[in-house]
Amino acid sequence: MAASQWLVLLVFAVYASKIEANPIHSEHILKHVRTKTSSAVQSKATLDLIGRVLPERASEFEVVIDDTLKVNSFKVFKTNGSKTVVITGSSGVSAAKGFYHYLKYFCGCHVSWDGDQLNLPDVLPEVNVEVQAPSSVVYYQNVCTWSYSFSWWTWQEWRRHIDWMAMQGITLSLAPFQEDLWAEVYLEYNITQHEIEDHLSGPGFFAWQRMGNIRGWGGPLTENFIKFSRKLQNQVVQEMRKLGMVLALPAFAGHLPVQFAELYPQAKLAPVEVWNNFPPQYASTLFLDPTDPLFLEIGQRFLTKVIERYGTDHIYFSDPFNEIQPQSFSAKYLSNASTGIYSAMSSVDPLAVWLLQGWMFVKNPFWSDMAIRAFLTAVPIGRMLVLDLQSEQFPQYDRTESYYGQPFIWCMLSNFGGTLGMLGSVDLVFNRIRDTRMNDSMTMIGTGITPEGINQNYGLYEFALEMGWYTDIYDIRQWFNTYASVRYGIKDNRLEFAWYIFQYTVYSFKELEMMRGKYSYNRRPSLKLHPWVWYNETFFNEGVQLLMEPRLDGALYRNDVVDLTRQFLQNTADRLYLSLMEAYASNDVKSVKHLSNLFLTLLEDIDRLLRSDHHFLLGRWLNAAKALSRTSLERQKYEYNARIQITLWGPQGQIVDYANKQWAGVVQDFFLPRWKLFLSEMTNAMGQNKTINEGKIRDKIFKTVELPFCTSNKRYPTEPVGDSLQIAREVFEAWSDRAVRFKKLPTKPRRI
């Protein structure tokens, strides 16, 4: 039985006694669940994957898909005299996971977001291993990942990423696009092409337009991109299904263009509250009350198109109230709204399961226990699958009595906006997954990762994904020992101890203060910043120094040396900032000038370091955006999307620095000029015995630095410059000597 069949079977069958009370009997549901992917197709897809990963050694592997195996299980077998490794999986995903398990734990290899280390032994080692995952579902993606990481991806990037997903054993994920279908639906409701263009956001902001937070921002969306995304979506969906993955497809959440108010004056349509102070032309889409008959009509029409174009695995995602409030929090209204949303799915697909992000319940006092219960239980038990979106920090399953019976997936979020900065909660992930899994009262059916953006802190995410596949992870330190040896292709005590240090420093976060990648130098300058760390800096720095000692030359090693040195320099900038503020408060003009010059020099060194590794280049992000254009106007629009998303975010800096990137080019032409202007104004004011006006300086920074950066077409390198290891060692040594003279960072956040 393939993955898509197992997922729907699981969601229903685990709760069979409750589902049987539903008008549609559970046996009827299971009878009509059929996978569209045969064992032969999954086997070939997995062999093709192996051929892409190991083109010269692929003939040494054999793949068998055995759907009689238990869900999410694999066997890997090779005798000493055999030339072939036989991988047997319950699905293509399971077989791909078995392949990676063998590569990592028997051949010492590594495949990641950042690159691969595939130094296989000449003779493949013998093996006889069987694994059955404790998670029936292993989930991946946050709806925001579409925009923060995938905006400019082509099939080339998706091809590699789907291979990575399969090798990590990810069984459920999201389809990336939907704008083409909505454009068709809107035309059928007499919304003009011009009005559609005004409504649909640019590619850098799809996620929030889909959830009704904004409209038209970064647009208009061109026909070229709609055609491109339609073709790409088909490729992504087909390839994921070939491997036996389950695709959640979009369903109607109630958000509509503002023109619907004139076309349907009798409908229950209301403007969505303004989100993050966006100006009127980009704010307040309409929300159609799910109890209105028009909701059912539009929902049916849209989902019918979705299924006609992409088929279905019967899982549909819909997030009606993401960071926006329902019109009422009464139990009756929320129950009716939930019923209306689900009815628009189930009336088209009687086997429908609603995939819901539980983010709207996090730190929102309006969502009382009664309100949550009313919303969740209005959908038949087992017909809603909730993503507990940030279980490592703000789990909601305890508060909601395991979502009042609805199945849920334990998810690690960890990253906001795709920002850099090393952060993780390894112990919390380890303990909370194990504790929840062993709690019989919990309706957890799987685990997953839900980062808003990828391409940082890779080890943390592989650890969380493996917690979904293995029950024999007992020693976190041993896991990271293995991680260090396979990532760098060498077993070295210094590397292992470095990662032990990182485990107990940057990856030991247990605070409730949300860390969103905002540190001193990559924030708007101010006298009122309060940097802090949750770990021992001296111990962390020892880890960085240990990492540098072996003097290896692999691409992943270079990447990590640059990243960890960046983290050290980021901390140094925070300490230097505190020293600056102390000198300013003491009216010590000489020290302020000296420390200001040091601060600017530090930023120059950060940019030089980042420029030496291709993972940290602004030019790659901008070029990827521009490469999707066909006209100069389109190229300008995409570049603007790419630039403003990682800086101002909104037209007037509504969410400034939220998705900032510590990349070469951004440091040079955005962070550094901001601080140069601010520190100049500060020292000038001190020289005249005046108090600085932060509001005026902020306006000046906005007009002279931030806006010009967003509208610039300056080109940046797409290839690294300089020897990254040499530069990293130089700046680490130079700033280690200086940093000890700066103020120490507090280990607790200052509560404002």
Side-chain angles (χ1 to χ4, degrees):
M1 189 177 293
S4 59
Q5 186 174 4
W6 271 107
L7 179 61
V8 180
L9 181 151
L10 174 82
V11 172
F12 293 125
V14 168
Y15 305 94
S17 62
K18 297 179 180 179
I19 295 174
E20 287 172 359
N22 205 42
I24 302 176
H25 195 273
S26 60
E27 291 181 3
H28 178 81
I29 294 170
L30 297 177
K31 181 180 178 181
H32 287 80
V33 175
R34 294 289 185 270
T35 178
K36 296 181 176 65
T37 309
S38 68
S39 296
V41 170
Q42 293 183 69
S43 176
K44 183 180 183 306
T46 309
L47 282 171
D48 290 345
L49 180 156
I50 293 172
R52 288 187 293 272
V53 177
L54 301 174
E56 297 178 359
R57 307 286 296 271
S59 61
E60 298 178 54
F61 293 86
E62 179 184 340
V63 172
V64 177
I65 304 301
D66 183 355
D67 58 13
T68 66
L69 292 177
K70 291 184 178 180
V71 66
N72 293 345
S73 62
F74 63 79
K75 303 176 183 178
V76 187
F77 180 76
K78 179 184 182 293
T79 62
N80 193 29
S82 173
K83 295 182 179 180
T84 306
V85 179
V86 180
I87 304 169
T88 305
S90 58
S91 67
V93 170
S94 297
K97 176 63 180 176
F99 168 62
Y100 183 59
H101 178 91
Y102 179 70
L103 287 185
K104 180 177 180 179
Y105 289 103
F106 289 84
C107 301
C109 295
H110 184 63
V111 177
S112 75
W113 293 332
D114 313 304
D116 306 332
Q117 186 282 112
L118 294 171
N119 186 22
L120 267 72
D122 293 337
V123 177
L124 294 179
E126 59 183 284
V127 59
N128 186 6
V129 64
E130 297 184 22
V131 171
Q132 181 186 349
S135 297
S136 299
V137 180
V138 179
Y139 176 80
Y140 167 57
Q141 269 198 53
N142 182 306
V143 295
C144 297
T145 323
W146 295 320
S147 298
Y148 287 134
S149 294
F150 303 155
S151 286
W152 317 114
W153 279 17
T154 63
W155 175 237
Q156 181 180 357
E157 287 78 27
W158 273 109
R159 165 72 286 164
R160 173 181 163 80
H161 202 62
I162 292 169
D163 287 349
W164 170 83
M165 290 168 64
M167 286 187 283
Q168 287 297 326
I170 291 162
T171 63
L172 172 63
S173 196
L174 306 177
F177 298 108
Q178 54 186 275
E179 283 64 35
D180 59 329
L181 293 175
W182 277 119
E184 292 178 17
V185 170
Y186 295 151
L187 283 172
E188 292 172 6
Y189 280 93
N190 296 319
I191 305 296
T192 68
Q193 185 63 42
H194 177 69
E195 290 167 340
I196 292 172
E197 290 174 354
D198 280 347
H199 176 74
L200 296 176
S201 295
F205 302 95
F206 280 163
W208 303 277
Q209 173 249 301
R210 293 168 183 173
M211 293 183 289
N213 303 124
I214 54 176
R215 59 186 176 95
W217 174 232
L221 188 62
T222 64
E223 181 63 23
N224 168 49
F225 197 94
I226 286 180
K227 289 179 180 178
F228 159 78
S229 65
R230 181 187 300 134
K231 179 182 178 181
L232 182 56
Q233 174 102 318
N234 273 306
Q235 290 174 302
V236 170
V237 169
Q238 289 175 20
E239 191 59 31
M240 289 176 70
R241 286 200 177 125
K242 283 180 184 178
L243 287 160
M245 294 184 197
V246 173
L247 250 317
L249 296 169
F252 185 40
H255 307 292
L256 292 169
V258 295
Q259 289 79 16
F260 269 83
E262 294 182 7
L263 294 170
Y264 295 90
Q266 303 305 316
K268 297 178 183 176
L269 288 157
V272 171
E273 66 194 75
V274 175
W275 183 74
N276 278 301
N277 298 310
F278 261 72
Q281 67 267 38
Y282 300 122
S284 299
T285 60
L286 291 179
F287 182 73
L288 176 59
D289 194 304
T291 64
D292 192 290
L294 184 61
F295 189 102
L296 182 64
E297 179 188 317
I298 295 175
Q300 289 174 333
R301 184 174 296 198
F302 176 69
L303 194 58
T304 298
K305 286 181 178 290
V306 169
I307 294 172
E308 286 175 351
R309 185 159 295 171
Y310 302 116
T312 184
D313 296 321
H314 311 293
I315 314 293
Y316 307 101
F317 61 88
S318 175
D319 294 295
F321 304 122
N322 180 74
E323 298 185 9
I324 55 179
Q325 310 293 11
Q327 70 176 38
S328 169
F329 280 95
S330 73
K332 182 178 180 181
Y333 173 77
L334 292 172
S335 178
N336 290 338
S338 185
T339 298
I341 294 168
Y342 181 69
S343 295
M345 303 177 196
S346 60
S347 60
V348 177
D349 180 0
L351 298 177
V353 175
W354 177 3
L355 183 68
L356 174 75
Q357 289 198 151
W359 183 249
M360 59 192 185
F361 307 137
V362 177
K363 298 181 75 172
N364 188 335
F366 297 105
W367 279 99
S368 65
D369 294 348
M370 181 185 69
I372 296 173
R373 181 190 290 270
F375 188 79
L376 296 177
T377 58
V379 175
I381 297 297
R383 298 299 191 95
M384 178 182 280
L385 179 56
V386 184
L387 301 175
D388 192 276
L389 211 64
Q390 197 181 12
S391 304
E392 83 281 12
Q393 197 171 4
F394 297 107
Q396 300 297 298
Y397 49 84
D398 282 331
R399 170 197 173 192
T400 58
E401 300 174 25
S402 197
Y403 288 99
Y404 303 111
Q406 297 288 14
F408 75 92
I409 298 174
W410 194 106
C411 299
M412 183 191 77
L413 197 160
S414 194
N415 177 270
F416 291 89
T419 55
L420 276 70
M422 308 196 80
L423 174 138
S425 305
V426 171
D427 285 345
L428 293 182
V429 172
F430 177 75
N431 291 319
R432 286 181 175 171
I433 288 179
R434 286 162 58 92
D435 292 347
T436 309
R437 184 177 284 148
M438 291 186 292
N439 188 336
D440 291 337
S441 69
M442 288 293 164
T443 55
M444 182 179 85
I445 63 170
T447 56
I449 59 172
T450 52
E452 284 194 351
I454 64 170
N455 296 320
Q456 29 64 32
N457 293 298
Y458 179 75
L460 178 71
Y461 290 102
E462 183 155 305
F463 176 79
L465 287 169
E466 292 203 355
M467 284 295 297
W469 265 91
Y470 304 125
T471 56
D472 58 353
I473 298 176
Y474 300 110
D475 187 336
I476 301 175
R477 181 174 182 180
Q478 182 55 50
W479 190 94
F480 277 102
N481 284 349
T482 301
Y483 178 81
S485 64
V486 300
R487 186 163 172 85
Y488 308 129
I490 184 173
K491 186 171 178 60
D492 187 296
N493 290 337
R494 293 166 296 182
L495 298 174
E496 291 180 359
F497 193 67
W499 275 95
Y500 164 78
I501 290 174
F502 303 147
Q503 176 194 336
Y504 280 97
T505 52
V506 288
Y507 294 136
S508 65
F509 184 71
K510 295 183 178 67
E511 300 290 337
L512 293 179
E513 180 79 10
M514 285 190 179
M515 292 293 291
R516 298 182 184 270
K518 293 184 179 180
Y519 307 95
S520 294
Y521 88 82
N522 57 355
R523 295 185 68 176
R524 262 185 179 165
S526 170
L527 300 175
K528 301 169 185 174
L529 306 181
H530 302 287
W532 63 284
V533 292
W534 58 94
Y535 55 89
N536 185 307
E537 284 184 86
T538 302
F539 195 34
F540 170 77
N541 294 347
E542 289 175 9
V544 179
Q545 196 160 18
L546 277 172
L547 189 72
M548 292 180 178
E549 286 183 5
R551 297 184 178 271
L552 306 177
D553 195 32
L556 291 174
Y557 176 73
R558 286 178 173 271
N559 171 76
D560 288 357
V561 168
V562 171
D563 196 19
L564 284 150
T565 306
R566 176 210 51 74
Q567 182 77 13
F568 159 74
L569 295 176
Q570 166 191 289
N571 291 345
T572 303
D574 283 346
R575 294 173 65 126
L576 182 46
Y577 169 83
L578 291 179
S579 295
L580 248 173
M581 292 304 102
E582 183 178 65
Y584 176 77
S586 302
N587 201 31
D588 185 344
V589 178
K590 183 179 179 181
S591 291
V592 167
K593 288 182 177 179
H594 172 67
L595 294 171
S596 294
N597 289 333
L598 277 181
F599 195 87
L600 299 178
T601 300
L602 174 57
L603 266 60
E604 290 172 352
D605 278 349
I606 291 173
D607 194 82
R608 182 165 67 100
L609 171 71
L610 299 174
R611 203 158 53 236
S612 69
D613 189 282
H614 75 278
H615 294 94
F616 304 94
L617 300 178
L618 170 63
R620 295 176 70 236
W621 171 255
L622 297 182
N623 275 23
K626 291 183 286 186
L628 298 182
S629 65
R630 287 191 175 180
T631 67
S632 59
L633 183 62
E634 199 175 20
R635 184 163 55 253
Q636 182 183 16
K637 178 62 65 175
Y638 294 166
E639 181 169 7
Y640 179 73
N641 269 243
R643 284 173 175 266
I644 201 163
Q645 187 212 84
I646 63 173
T647 51
L648 291 175
W649 213 106
Q652 285 86 40
Q654 279 79 2
I655 324 178
V656 65
D657 295 325
Y658 179 85
N660 72 67
K661 299 295 184 290
Q662 296 182 36
W663 288 341
V666 184
V667 179
Q668 176 188 11
D669 288 340
F670 192 77
F671 300 143
L672 178 58
R674 291 201 302 192
W675 278 101
K676 191 172 185 178
L677 192 156
F678 181 84
L679 294 174
S680 175
E681 294 281 348
M682 190 171 76
T683 53
N684 288 340
M686 291 182 72
Q688 300 173 32
N689 201 26
K690 294 181 179 179
T691 302
I692 66 171
N693 186 322
E694 288 203 58
K696 286 186 176 180
I697 296 176
R698 187 164 54 248
D699 290 344
K700 188 173 182 180
I701 288 173
F702 178 73
K703 293 174 182 176
T704 63
V705 177
E706 294 170 345
L707 276 182
F709 178 87
C710 294
T711 56
S712 172
N713 60 3
K714 177 181 175 179
R715 295 185 179 184
Y716 293 89
T718 56
E719 296 297 328
V721 177
D723 184 332
S724 55
L725 298 181
Q726 180 180 339
I727 294 170
R729 291 179 178 116
E730 285 176 1
V731 297
F732 182 78
E733 183 178 351
W735 288 100
S736 293
D737 291 340
R738 292 167 174 163
V740 294
R741 300 194 294 271
F742 305 145
K743 284 185 67 66
K744 289 185 177 180
L745 291 170
T747 55
K748 292 289 183 182
R750 177 175 172 180
R751 306 297 180 187
I752 306 298

